[in-house]
Amino acid sequence: MKLKKYLFETAKYALRSYPIIRPYVKRIDRLYSMSQQEITEYNNRKFVDLVNLAYNKSPFYRRLYDENGVDINAIKSIGDINKLPIIDKKIVRENAEKIAIGNKRFLLKAATSGTTGEPLTIFQSYKTILLNRAYGYKYKSMCGFNSGEKLLSLRGHLDSKIFKLKLPIGHILFLSSYQLRKEKAIDYYNEISKFAPKAIEGYPSSVYNLCCLLKEAGLTLNIPLCFTSSETLYDFQRHLFKEVLNCETFDIYGCTENTMSLYEDFKHNGYFEGPGYSYNEYFDNYTVTTSFINPRFPLIRYKVNDSISLKPDFVKHSAIDSNIKTVNGRTDSTIITRNGALIGRLNFLFKNVNYIKLGQIVQRRQGEIEINIVPDGPFGDTEKSQIMKHIDERIGLHNIEATINIVTNDKIIYTKRNKFNQVVKINS
């Protein structure tokens, strides 16, 4: 199993390595060098081209715009964006095949369940994957990390059965984020010390759990850079990273749908948008995004539930001016396993599992969870087996007792503000 994982990760890295993405990095370099006026003009061109492509090539958008009375010839710039209807995750989930443009055999699938437990599959081209990689490469290089330098990854690539995996081709050391418990603290410390990485990447909760273990054991490390993503990064986490890892932390926001990419500015005073990546409309409790990097699966005015706080009265002059104050709504919770490990980012339980309208994980006691499923189809033993397999791969069925219940929506637990949390802890 470890050899298979090694070959898979090696191939994946090779196909996305710097020599492959270099043309895309050069394109992004040009975008970063533009003035804000030039970026606005670029966005206008991309927007009009995208809308016309979607209308002419995507059955979904032609029907959507015709039904909503959209005059495609009246879309001349982003200033006309309000003439287009907003779509959401439910609409995309139900129409993915019709949204995709061209032969889907040449597109790659990406699955996400987000923070709501609702499965979603999108299509993307290989070019889109390379563009995403290039945007990440550009930002990390601006922070001081370059291709070929040693990277420690705690991003959930390894499950509960594989503790470490080293890729000489990319100077990457993967360590499992599912074995972070007191008894393993010295093992993590020894592996990281021997590897001596220039940077660490991971979910904030995974890096935080690692730092808690090391601090409790009286151990510290020297890793100059830390890149976090996929969860809200809190100040108390950043401070602990600095104390234990002696690192400077930079946060990245993105989503599997390829509709938005935000980067923490270099003085840690907010976030800026990846230039030319998308056009974003910010509302009080949600964001509407239009992606420019995945035209084979166009998402135009796509609503995401994460909310963004803008800096008031801020005038943006260049690509790296941080007009965004905070990124909200990515908070995820953790469960506690029998051996005391804290496991976060549990949306992997629902990936590629059919017939789930809503999924919620409830923990009342350590080492036990209830998985409540609101189905939107014939959810049965096959789907339950898939979820249990995911649990065993990532956590280990010996380490957690899981019960899967089929429920109605009124059994799902919401906060007093009617907010859904994928993970709910109840003291019994």
Side-chain angles (χ1 to χ4, degrees), residues 205-217:
S205 60
S206 297
V207 180
Y208 182 73
N209 289 339
L210 172 66
C211 289
C212 287
L213 292 180
L214 295 176
K215 183 176 180 179
E216 186 177 349

Side-chain angles (χ1 to χ4, degrees), residues 23-38:
Y24 300 97
V25 174
K26 289 183 178 179
R27 183 192 306 181
I28 295 167
D29 284 340
R30 291 193 293 271
L31 287 167
Y32 268 91
S33 68
M34 290 181 179
S35 66
Q36 188 56 37
Q37 181 178 348
E38 290 172 324

Side-chain angles (χ1 to χ4, degrees), residues 110-280:
T112 176
S113 62
T115 57
T116 65
E118 299 175 82
L120 176 68
T121 297
I122 66 138
F123 294 92
Q124 57 187 342
S125 67
Y126 181 49
K127 179 180 177 180
T128 296
I129 293 173
L130 297 181
L131 265 171
N132 257 322
R133 184 82 167 186
Y135 269 100
Y137 174 89
K138 172 64 177 178
Y139 177 68
K140 289 177 180 177
S141 67
M142 295 174 76
C143 296
F145 182 79
N146 298 303
S147 177
E149 294 184 298
K150 292 182 178 180
L151 175 68
L152 168 65
S153 180
L154 275 177
R155 282 191 54 82
H157 290 82
L158 304 183
D159 56 31
S160 64
K161 296 179 176 63
I162 302 176
F163 172 63
K164 68 173 181 176
L165 186 67
K166 188 175 180 180
L167 296 188
I169 186 176
H171 300 289
I172 301 174
L173 174 65
F174 296 109
L175 292 180
S176 174
S177 57
Y178 297 93
Q179 298 187 33
L180 290 166
R181 56 184 184 273
K182 185 176 181 179
E183 296 80 6
K184 300 283 288 185
I186 193 64
D187 294 328
Y188 280 94
Y189 176 79
N190 288 338
E191 291 295 338
I192 298 170
S193 296
K194 182 170 60 176
F195 184 62
K198 171 72 174 293
I200 178 174
E201 66 173 10
Y203 303 132
S205 60
S206 297
V207 180
Y208 182 73
N209 289 339
L210 172 66
C211 289
C212 287
L213 292 180
L214 295 176
K215 183 176 180 179
E216 186 177 349
L219 302 170
T220 59
L221 292 161
N222 289 291
I223 305 175
L225 296 169
C226 176
F227 298 105
T228 56
S229 60
S230 303
E231 296 174 356
T232 299
L233 173 66
Y234 296 104
D235 287 341
F236 72 88
Q237 293 172 321
R238 190 193 298 271
H239 294 155
L240 187 64
F241 301 167
K242 180 67 175 177
E243 178 185 349
V244 176
L245 304 179
N246 194 32
C247 64
E248 185 174 9
T249 300
F250 296 93
D251 192 42
I252 302 169
Y253 167 86
C255 55
T256 304
E257 297 95 318
N258 304 309
T259 57
M260 188 162 51
S261 189
L262 309 177
Y263 304 94
E264 186 178 14
D265 82 0
F266 308 109
K267 295 182 179 179
H268 310 292
N269 190 34
Y271 294 77
F272 61 87
E273 301 163 316
Y277 192 100
S278 63
Y279 180 76
N280 308 317

Side-chain angles (χ1 to χ4, degrees), residues 347-411:
N347 51 347
F348 69 81
L349 296 184
F350 306 114
K351 280 191 176 181
N352 299 315
V353 181
N354 295 324
Y355 311 124
I356 297 179
K357 180 179 181 181
L358 205 61
Q360 187 172 64
I361 301 157
V362 179
Q363 181 160 56
R364 304 176 192 274
R365 302 177 188 83
Q366 179 176 334
E368 300 177 15
I369 56 173
E370 301 167 21
I371 302 171
N372 294 326
I373 303 295
V374 179
D376 66 353
F379 183 93
D381 292 338
T382 298
E383 290 70 36
K384 288 183 180 181
S385 295
Q386 285 179 290
I387 293 175
M388 297 302 286
K389 181 181 178 182
H390 292 164
I391 295 173
D392 192 36
E393 288 175 344
R394 297 295 188 94
I395 303 172
L397 290 175
H398 65 283
N399 206 16
I400 196 81
E401 180 179 343
T403 303
I404 301 176
N405 305 313
I406 298 177
V407 302
T408 55
N409 194 67
D410 61 343
K411 300 299 182 182

Side-chain angles (χ1 to χ4, degrees), residues 94-119:
E94 294 173 351
N95 295 277
E97 297 283 336
K98 294 179 181 179
I99 291 173
I101 293 175
N103 193 329
K104 289 183 282 297
R105 288 182 296 178
F106 298 103
L107 298 177
L108 301 170
K109 287 185 178 182
T112 176
S113 62
T115 57
T116 65
E118 299 175 82

